[in-house]
Amino acid sequence: MSGAARPRPRVAIVVVNYRTAQITCECLDAVAKYVAAGTCEVIVVDNASGDGSAETIRCRHPQAVLIEEARNLGFGEGNNRGVAVATAPYVVLLNSDAILGMDTPNRLVDHLAAHPEVGCVGPRVNLPDGTRQPRIRGNRPSPRRAILQSLGLSRLSPLWHGLDGIDCEGPAEPIAPVGWISGVCMAMRTSDYRAIGGFDAAFFMYCEDIDLCLRMQQHRGEIVHVDDWPLVHLGGASSRPIAKRLRNAVWQQR
């Protein structure tokens, strides 16, 4: 007599790795520690790291589904490949250098389940020193807001919204509809992600989360930031050399 079939996981956690095997494994260690057993499937996409990352991840986290790409597809398309094989009804996209301190994925899924009008939700993101990370939520982009952002005028008076740029500079509300949330950690229904085509592969890195949120708003409705269920974002793990940081700054402006 065959054993009972395993229940379908509730949430797929997708992590894209590029030459950050040690940090990615720390991310996965936290997932294994804090996410309720049996509720998630873990999918790791290795973007042709070529440094033994895939072997390290496979050895330390054999339970994860590991997808090895032949070339570096970038953050957005890497996530697309991961979500393509997900079986869970919800998906949480998690940066490889984001470290959970509680079961944030299931909290986010609870919020989605209770609010069908919400298309995408993200939690509070802290820096390693415990302070809130800036620029993890923002306003719906427009040419005017892009100009205010680029000129730095939005920082002159964070409490006066007449100068608001693309980023939200003011204090966070407990639960607030926003124009976009950061790809550091974002949760949505798997069916919604697929319906809008996932990330636009034309964005190799940076601002693909803003674009996805705009399309999710058109498809489902609200994008929500919850100032709770924090995780720690180490930041810039795959782009620490100065040359890469300068190149990435150009990508952000584009």
Side-chain angles (χ1 to χ4, degrees), residues 147-227:
I147 292 171
L148 290 170
Q149 186 79 32
S150 296
L151 295 177
L153 298 177
S154 59
R155 299 183 183 180
L156 295 179
S157 180
L159 298 179
W160 185 48
H161 297 299
L163 291 178
D164 279 353
I166 295 172
D167 296 336
C168 285
E169 303 288 352
E173 298 177 14
I175 300 176
V178 292
W180 61 271
I181 56 174
S182 170
V184 170
C185 180
M186 55 197 327
M188 63 206 85
R189 297 166 187 83
T190 307
S191 58
D192 287 342
Y193 186 96
R194 291 171 176 167
I196 65 173
F199 285 115
D200 185 340
F203 293 81
F204 184 79
M205 184 180 289
Y206 298 120
C207 298
E208 66 282 290
D209 44 12
I210 298 177
D211 173 74
L212 182 139
C213 286
L214 288 173
R215 290 184 284 113
M216 185 65 77
Q217 285 175 314
Q218 295 168 355
H219 171 72
R220 166 73 64 169
E222 291 185 354
I223 308 299
V224 170
H225 172 261
V226 179
D227 193 38

Side-chain angles (χ1 to χ4, degrees), residues 13-238:
I13 300 176
V14 179
V15 178
V16 176
N17 175 79
Y18 180 66
R19 299 183 178 178
T20 59
Q22 178 59 38
I23 293 174
T24 298
C25 285
E26 291 175 13
C27 169
L28 300 179
D29 289 343
V31 169
K33 179 178 180 179
Y34 290 108
V35 178
T39 63
C40 79
E41 58 182 338
V42 178
I43 302 168
V44 181
V45 180
D46 181 65
N47 259 338
S49 295
D51 64 348
S53 284
E55 291 78 6
T56 299
I57 294 167
R58 183 181 295 109
C59 179
R60 288 184 53 177
H61 289 276
Q63 79 285 358
V65 175
L66 178 63
I67 301 172
E68 298 181 62
E69 296 295 340
R71 61 185 180 87
N72 186 357
L73 302 172
F75 177 80
E77 183 61 17
N79 275 293
N80 290 347
R81 298 296 176 93
V83 177
V85 303
T87 64
Y90 297 92
V91 61
V92 170
L93 310 181
L94 189 65
N95 266 26
S96 62
D97 57 353
I99 309 299
L100 300 179
M102 63 177 64
D103 193 351
T104 299
N106 273 304
R107 303 284 181 87
L108 296 172
V109 168
D110 288 343
H111 189 87
L112 287 170
H115 299 278
E117 74 282 2
V118 174
C120 187
V121 59
R124 174 173 172 173
V125 178
N126 287 343
L127 296 172
D129 64 4
T131 60
R132 287 182 177 85
Q133 177 172 323
R135 300 182 180 182
I136 54 87
R137 71 192 201 286
N139 302 299
R140 187 180 178 89
S142 69
R144 176 177 176 275
R145 282 184 171 149
I147 292 171
L148 290 170
Q149 186 79 32
S150 296
L151 295 177
L153 298 177
S154 59
R155 299 183 183 180
L156 295 179
S157 180
L159 298 179
W160 185 48
H161 297 299
L163 291 178
D164 279 353
I166 295 172
D167 296 336
C168 285
E169 303 288 352
E173 298 177 14
I175 300 176
V178 292
W180 61 271
I181 56 174
S182 170
V184 170
C185 180
M186 55 197 327
M188 63 206 85
R189 297 166 187 83
T190 307
S191 58
D192 287 342
Y193 186 96
R194 291 171 176 167
I196 65 173
F199 285 115
D200 185 340
F203 293 81
F204 184 79
M205 184 180 289
Y206 298 120
C207 298
E208 66 282 290
D209 44 12
I210 298 177
D211 173 74
L212 182 139
C213 286
L214 288 173
R215 290 184 284 113
M216 185 65 77
Q217 285 175 314
Q218 295 168 355
H219 171 72
R220 166 73 64 169
E222 291 185 354
I223 308 299
V224 170
H225 172 261
V226 179
D227 193 38
D228 201 351
W229 318 320
L231 53 82
V232 174
H233 183 213
L234 303 180
S238 63

